[in-house]
Amino acid sequence: MKRRNALKTLTGSAFTLSLTDALANPMETTPAMPALKGNIRHSVSRWCYGSIPLEELAEGCKAIGIESIELTGPKEWEVLKKYGLTSAMGQPDAWPKGLGLPSCFNNPKNHDALVALYTELIPQAASMGVKNLITFSGNRNGLGDYEGLLNCQAGLKKIMPIAEKHDVTITMELLSSRDSHPDYQCDNPQWGAVLCEMVGSPKFKLLYDIFHMQSMQGDHIRNIRRYGQYFSHYHTGGMPGRREIDETQEIYYPAIVKAIVATGYKGFIGQEYMPTPKDKAGMLESLKKGVQICDV
């Protein structure tokens, strides 16, 4: 029962009926909105909550205070807009055949197809207020680090003029080659920072995935202080297992998020962990706790 309807029936016999109905329908499944501090903006990765229909997830996010459902594409952005949400990190609705995380900008054979993809996607993102689009280096496949840098630079420079024109940032994700994505090339902030300098555009930056970088080298607060100027987005995830970011895992997120805020960062931090509960109410409650942990 909605609270406003209950208040209208708090007199006479109607109160008994109201109480009976309330007991029969004890609580709505959407978590109540906590009082967020506003020092960091909150987002969630769509794929982690894929079992919840998008509109229901959007409703749950609004109740929690989350402003974005990310790793979503143009077909989903209209739904998000309906609920007053954005996508803090956009992506194509589908990657063209042969392109994506394992094979991307470090392979010159992909450049023409990638330029065509982002030439279409960047204006779409701008028209919907989506400010970041994800991209990847691709796997090494025997490629040296310097050659990979040169190849990525050559391809990315071809799309920087359109990204700058539309005020959309192309964001390359830092991923673990040690565990989750063997052989991935952009697997540390040092390599990524060099690439940012080589591309030389404020519209090319990095996604610092805390879960993945914990697997590679940790040292998050030092990385954030040293390389934060190159990061346009952050992801969470409990280590090990990409579960909740609570006391059951090895990363202490409040200190890390405080370090992010201290750099002057005004963007989003995206919750990207697999909730332990599998029912909608439990998943949203898990998400709410993750947001509260990062709301420093």
Side-chain angles (χ1 to χ4, degrees):
M1 169 175 282
K2 300 290 186 181
R3 181 179 296 179
R4 62 179 178 271
N5 293 334
L7 291 174
K8 291 177 182 178
T9 59
L10 287 178
T11 59
S13 60
F15 174 72
T16 303
L17 294 174
S18 172
L19 181 60
T20 301
D21 185 57
L23 291 172
N25 302 280
M27 289 184 66
E28 295 182 4
T29 57
T30 303
M33 181 185 294
L36 299 178
K37 296 181 177 69
N39 295 322
I40 199 80
R41 303 178 74 184
H42 300 281
S43 178
V44 61
S45 291
R46 171 67 177 132
W47 70 269
C48 299
Y49 292 79
S51 64
I52 302 177
L54 182 57
E55 295 212 25
E56 293 180 24
L57 180 59
E59 290 175 348
C61 287
K62 287 288 287 185
I64 294 169
I66 293 171
E67 300 177 55
S68 155
I69 301 175
E70 62 181 78
L71 299 182
T72 47
K75 291 181 181 177
E76 297 162 302
W77 296 340
E78 285 288 353
V79 175
L80 302 185
K81 186 176 180 180
K82 173 182 172 183
Y83 288 90
L85 303 176
T86 188
S87 177
M89 186 60 62
Q91 65 181 17
D93 285 320
W95 287 90
K97 185 177 179 180
L99 297 182
L101 194 156
S103 185
C104 211
F105 272 104
N106 67 356
N107 186 343
K109 293 180 180 179
N110 295 333
H111 287 178
D112 287 347
L114 287 166
V115 169
L117 170 68
Y118 284 101
T119 298
E120 180 179 357
L121 187 59
I122 290 168
Q124 286 180 299
S127 70
M128 295 299 292
V130 175
K131 292 296 187 178
N132 284 281
L133 290 173
I134 199 166
T135 198
F136 307 101
S137 63
N139 291 348
R140 290 181 175 85
N141 292 316
L143 198 66
D145 277 350
Y146 182 58
E147 189 176 1
L149 286 168
L150 292 175
N151 290 348
C152 287
Q153 177 196 34
L156 288 162
K157 274 185 168 290
K158 294 177 181 179
I159 61 171
M160 285 303 103
I162 189 169
E164 292 167 3
K165 175 183 176 181
H166 291 278
D167 191 26
V168 172
T169 300
I170 306 301
T171 303
M172 183 173 287
E173 186 164 13
L174 294 160
L175 298 169
S176 171
S177 63
R178 179 174 174 267
D179 183 25
S180 304
H181 301 284
D183 202 42
Y184 184 75
Q185 188 150 45
C186 186
D187 63 357
N188 66 84
Q190 295 82 9
W191 191 92
V194 171
L195 180 58
C196 287
E197 290 291 335
M198 291 173 66
V199 173
S201 170
K203 294 304 170 186
F204 175 72
K205 295 200 174 186
L206 306 172
L207 193 170
Y208 188 84
D209 189 302
I210 300 163
F211 165 80
H212 283 290
M213 292 302 95
Q214 178 76 3
S215 170
M216 291 300 298
Q217 64 183 54
D219 210 11
H220 304 296
I221 292 175
R222 197 192 314 266
N223 286 337
I224 289 161
R225 290 171 176 169
R226 183 173 293 172
Y227 302 110
Q229 62 181 307
Y230 303 111
F231 302 155
S232 66
H233 195 64
Y234 293 87
H235 275 168
T236 74
M239 177 64 76
R242 199 190 280 278
R243 293 297 179 183
E244 278 80 3
I245 59 171
D246 56 20
E247 69 283 354
T248 65
Q249 51 90 52
E250 68 189 34
I251 309 171
Y252 186 64
Y253 273 95
I256 293 172
V257 181
K258 285 179 181 178
I260 293 170
V261 172
T263 67
Y265 178 74
K266 302 298 183 183
F268 287 86
I269 185 164
Q271 302 295 335
E272 196 183 32
Y273 62 83
M274 300 299 294
T276 300
K278 298 307 176 188
D279 62 292
K280 174 185 168 183
M283 293 171 77
L284 290 175
E285 184 63 26
S286 170
L287 179 57
K288 183 173 88 169
K289 289 178 181 177
V291 166
Q292 289 174 324
I293 288 168
C294 291
D295 194 56
V296 299

